[in-house]
Amino acid sequence: MVIPNVSFSSPASSHPWNHDVFLSFKGENTHNTFIGHLHHALIEKGLKTFRDDMDLQKRDEISLALLEAIEQSKIFILVFSKNYTTSTWCLDELIKILECQKLIGQIVRPIFYDVDPLDVRKQLEK
């Protein structure tokens, strides 16, 4: 997988970052395939990447550690897959990410994995 050079200059460039990239995804759909390859490619580029462990998503609520990881990440890569929006965990995580983007100025980039962007936008099933 080829990852282009990414610039992280943003309005929040003085914010104390612990992670360059935060990957948001629905685990069982992408964890061992696409996300694994993407995570590896980002690390090879020297980017400190946060990938939520699948075991964390089995709880009912997002942990404080995960909320802090979101607040301390420069860029978010949202991997929308077929079942992403069926997970309240993923949707709560997405809300927090978008709140941080608005307040702190992080960069958000969506990837549509095996799903049409219009299906996600309009919540359609084929």
Side-chain angles (χ1 to χ4, degrees), residues 32-85:
N32 293 321
T33 55
F34 178 74
I35 291 296
H37 296 296
L38 177 60
H39 185 248
H40 180 73
L42 291 167
I43 289 172
E44 279 189 343
K45 283 286 192 177
L47 299 173
K48 188 173 179 185
T49 305
F50 183 90
R51 177 179 68 176
D52 188 8
D53 188 301
M54 284 177 46
D55 292 335
L56 294 176
Q57 294 189 25
K58 293 179 182 174
R59 288 184 261 152
D60 292 334
E61 296 180 14
I62 295 178
S63 70
L64 289 177
L66 184 62
L67 294 174
E68 287 177 8
I70 291 170
E71 291 171 0
Q72 298 168 356
S73 297
K74 289 182 189 180
I75 189 169
F76 302 103
I77 298 178
L78 307 173
V79 181
F80 293 108
S81 59
K82 289 182 181 180
N83 294 324
Y84 184 94
T85 58

Side-chain angles (χ1 to χ4, degrees), residues 104-120:
I104 303 170
Q106 291 114 314
I107 299 166
V108 176
R109 295 292 180 255
I111 294 175
F112 297 91
Y113 179 80
D114 197 27
V115 65
D116 187 309
L118 288 177
D119 292 345
V120 173

